[in-house]
Amino acid sequence: MGEEELEQEQEQVVNPWEVSAKDGGKIDYDKLIDKFGCQRLDQSLIDRVHRLTGSPPHVFLRRGVFFAHRDFNEILDAYEGGKKFYLYTGRGPSSQSLHLGHLIPFMFTKYLQEAFKVPLVIQLTDDEKCMWKNLSVEESKRLARENARDIIACGFDITRTFIFQDFEYVGGSFYNNMVKVEKCVTYNKVVGIFGFSGEDHIGKVSFPAVQAVPSFPSSFPHLFSGKDDLRCLIPCAIDQDPYFRMTRDVAPRIGYHKPSLIESSFFPALQGETGKMSASDPNSAIYVTDSAKEIKNKINKHAFSGGQDSLEKHRKYGANLEVDIPIKYLNFFLEDDDELEHIKKEYAAGRMLTGEAKKRLAEVLTELVERHRLARSAVTDEMVDAFMAVRPLPNMFD
Ligand code: TRP
C-alpha cells in the first residue's frame, strides 16, 4: 500500500462495521465511489425508472439518498426486454428498536417492489450479530423476529416477500452455494476486503459467504427453481458494498449473474453529519418507539442547527443549510417538493427561524413514527410466521 493510500485509509473508514469520516468532517461520497469503484446514479437512470415503471421516482431517488449503483442499468435493460428480476436486502438484528436510519432501505425496497412488481427476499443475519455483537444465539434469534415485525410494518406484500433468519434457513441449497463461494475466496482475499486479523475467530472469516449467496436464485429453490438466469438487485447502504464486491467477483465463476446494487448514503445523527448515530446514545437518533414528546424534545435540544446564534444575525445572514440537521432530515422525509423548496428558501434567507423548521420536522417525524407504530402493532406472531414460511410465491411476478 502506498503512503498516500495509507493516509486516505486513516482519514475515512467505511466498511460494514465502521463508518467514520475524516476528523470532524463529513463522509466524502465522491471519494467513496472512486475507492469502491461503483457508479454514480445519474438523472438519466432515474428518468428511466420513471419511464419503465410508470410510477414517479421515490423521494430517495429524486433527492439523491440512493446515489450510487453497480450495473443497475443492466437490470433495467433486462426489465425493458421483458425479463423480471428479484430484490434482495437484509438487516443485522443487533437491537430491539430501530431508528429512522434503519427504515430507509426498507422504505425504498418497498417502493421498488411495488413499482417493478417483483419478488423480494429479506435476510436477517442473526448469525452475524451473534458473532460481531457477542449476543447469545437465543437472543440474536429473538431480535431477528422482533425486527421482522418492524420490517413487515413497512408494508411489504406477503405474496411477493420471503423473510428468513440465517439460524433457521441456512442449509440445503443455500449451504451448497455457500460452500461454492467459500471455495472461490482465499483467506488473503477476505483479509484484503474486510481487514480481518489473526485474532478474529473463524466465524467472521466465513460469514461473508452467508451474506453473498442470497444473490443467487438457486439459494431459494422454493421460489426460483430452474431460474438460475434470474438477475438480482440489492438495495443497501453503501457500507455493505464490500460483501457484494466479493459476491460479484465470485458470481460468474459459479454460473450466476453478478448481482446489481443500488446504494444509499448514511442517515446523519441529530448532532450533525460529523457525528455518528450510536446505539449507546439515545439522543443521537430518533427511534420508531419514541413518543411525540420525545421526538419534539430531541429535535429541539439536540438537532444541530445551521441557524445563526442571535435573531439579529439570523435575519441578516440566514441559515447555513449545508450543516443544518432539520433541513437534512426534511430532505429525507418531507415528501412535498414545493414545501421543501419553500422552507429551504425562507430559512436560508433568514425569514424563517430554526424553531419553525424544527417544528415542521417534529410534525413530519411524529406522523411517520405514529404510522409505523400503528402498523407494527397490527403485525401478529402468525403474520411473522407467514412471511417467514418456506413456501412458493405463485404470483410473485404478476
Ligand atoms: N449485514 C447487514 C447488516 O448488518 C445485513 C444484511 C444482510 C444486508 N444481507 C443484506 C443488508 C443485504 C443489505 C443488503 O445490517
Side-chain angles (χ1 to χ4, degrees):
M1 207 185 288
E3 210 168 281
E4 208 177 320
E5 237 176 301
L6 198 75
E7 214 167 77
Q8 249 188 22
E9 291 233 328
Q10 287 163 346
E11 286 179 347
Q12 168 167 295
V13 183
V14 175
N15 64 43
W17 309 287
E18 190 184 349
V19 174
S20 61
K22 190 172 145 181
D23 336 274
K26 295 189 200 178
I27 298 288
D28 182 338
Y29 288 107
D30 288 323
K31 220 179 204 176
L32 207 55
I33 285 187
D34 282 350
K35 189 177 171 206
F36 285 0
C38 22
Q39 299 149 278
R40 194 163 261 288
L41 196 90
D42 58 19
Q43 190 58 43
S44 67
L45 269 177
I46 299 172
D47 293 342
R48 206 170 165 211
V49 171
H50 192 173
R51 199 157 31 78
L52 287 176
T53 64
S55 39
H58 193 273
V59 184
F60 295 163
L61 274 181
R62 298 204 303 270
R63 308 226 179 112
V65 172
F66 280 76
F67 72 104
H69 73 100
R70 289 179 186 271
D71 294 344
F72 183 42
N73 45 323
E74 287 189 17
I75 290 277
L76 298 181
D77 289 346
Y79 189 81
E80 191 158 30
K83 286 199 192 125
K84 294 257 176 154
F85 57 93
Y86 73 102
L87 292 160
Y88 158 39
T89 192
R91 161 160 173 84
S94 55
S95 62
Q96 167 100 32
S97 55
L98 277 61
H99 58 59
L100 294 179
H102 292 136
L103 292 185
I104 287 167
F106 294 107
M107 293 168 79
F108 187 63
T109 303
K110 175 190 145 49
Y111 149 79
L112 290 174
Q113 179 182 54
E114 246 171 43
F116 288 98
K117 306 250 181 312
V118 287
L120 159 67
V121 297
I122 300 177
Q123 177 178 46
L124 298 168
T125 51
D126 45 9
D127 51 348
E128 179 187 20
K129 294 305 157 182
C130 175
M131 291 191 277
W132 265 272
K133 301 280 168 178
N134 200 21
L135 300 170
S136 69
V137 171
E138 287 312 316
E139 177 63 0
S140 317
K141 287 168 75 167
R142 188 186 71 79
L143 289 175
R145 270 187 78 91
E146 282 298 309
N147 286 184
R149 296 183 57 165
D150 286 286
I151 292 168
I152 293 167
C154 292
F156 292 105
D157 175 355
I158 195 164
T159 68
R160 291 199 182 92
T161 307
F162 172 54
I163 305 179
F164 64 100
Q165 61 188 117
D166 292 338
F167 275 134
E168 300 294 336
Y169 185 70
V170 173
S173 310
F174 193 98
Y175 184 60
N176 292 199
N177 282 338
M178 279 173 53
V179 172
K180 288 185 197 172
V181 169
E182 285 164 348
K183 283 172 71 179
C184 289
V185 184
T186 64
Y187 177 69
N188 285 338
K189 182 95 189 178
V190 279
V191 168
I193 299 177
F194 299 101
F196 297 136
S197 80
E199 273 66 53
D200 282 309
H201 59 66
I202 60 174
K204 292 189 180 182
V205 177
S206 59
F207 175 76
V210 184
Q211 186 156 329
V213 302
S215 314
F216 308 135
S218 65
S219 298
F220 306 100
H222 57 291
L223 299 177
F224 308 130
S225 172
K227 293 194 167 69
D228 284 2
D229 198 35
L230 194 65
R231 283 174 193 275
C232 174
L233 172 65
I234 307 172
C236 61
I238 198 164
D239 62 332
Q240 300 297 306
D241 191 79
Y243 283 120
F244 300 119
R245 277 202 306 271
M246 186 196 87
T247 309
R248 285 168 52 87
D249 203 46
V250 172
R253 295 160 65 190
I254 61 171
Y256 298 102
H257 289 294
K258 295 180 179 200
S260 295
L261 302 174
I262 181 160
E263 302 179 314
S264 73
S265 55
F266 308 114
F267 189 66
L270 274 172
Q271 283 74 6
E273 258 188 320
T274 57
K276 258 177 59 169
M277 283 198 283
S278 117
S280 57
D281 178 5
N283 288 326
S284 68
I286 309 273
Y287 289 83
V288 297
T289 45
D290 286 345
S291 68
K293 205 171 147 205
E294 282 168 319
I295 292 174
K296 189 169 146 221
N297 284 338
K298 279 189 187 179
I299 292 174
N300 284 338
K301 282 202 199 118
H302 303 287
F304 189 85
S305 165
Q308 306 295 335
D309 44 23
S310 74
L311 182 61
E312 203 188 7
K313 271 169 72 187
H314 188 82
R315 293 289 186 211
K316 189 162 168 204
Y317 301 114
N320 176 3
L321 303 190
E322 278 303 300
V323 299
D324 189 83
I325 284 295
I327 291 296
K328 300 233 180 265
Y329 277 29
L330 285 171
N331 189 56
F332 280 82
F333 294 117
L334 177 60
E335 286 195 26
D336 185 331
D337 291 335
D338 294 337
E339 189 188 352
L340 182 67
E341 272 324 299
H342 176 77
I343 293 174
K344 281 162 91 172
K345 197 169 125 221
E346 296 299 299
Y347 192 29
R351 287 187 295 271
M352 182 183 276
L353 303 178
T354 296
E356 296 169 73
K358 286 190 166 181
K359 182 163 175 279
R360 186 65 184 115
L361 177 64
E363 284 167 10
V364 169
L365 296 189
T366 301
E367 197 200 306
L368 179 87
V369 164
E370 286 296 327
R371 206 183 331 131
H372 183 85
R373 200 191 339 266
L374 259 177
R376 190 185 196 276
S377 69
V379 179
T380 59
D381 250 353
E382 290 70 35
M383 274 166 78
V384 176
D385 288 336
F387 269 94
M388 298 182 77
V390 177
R391 68 206 191 275
L393 299 173
N395 302 316
M396 62 192 176
F397 289 113
D398 299 347

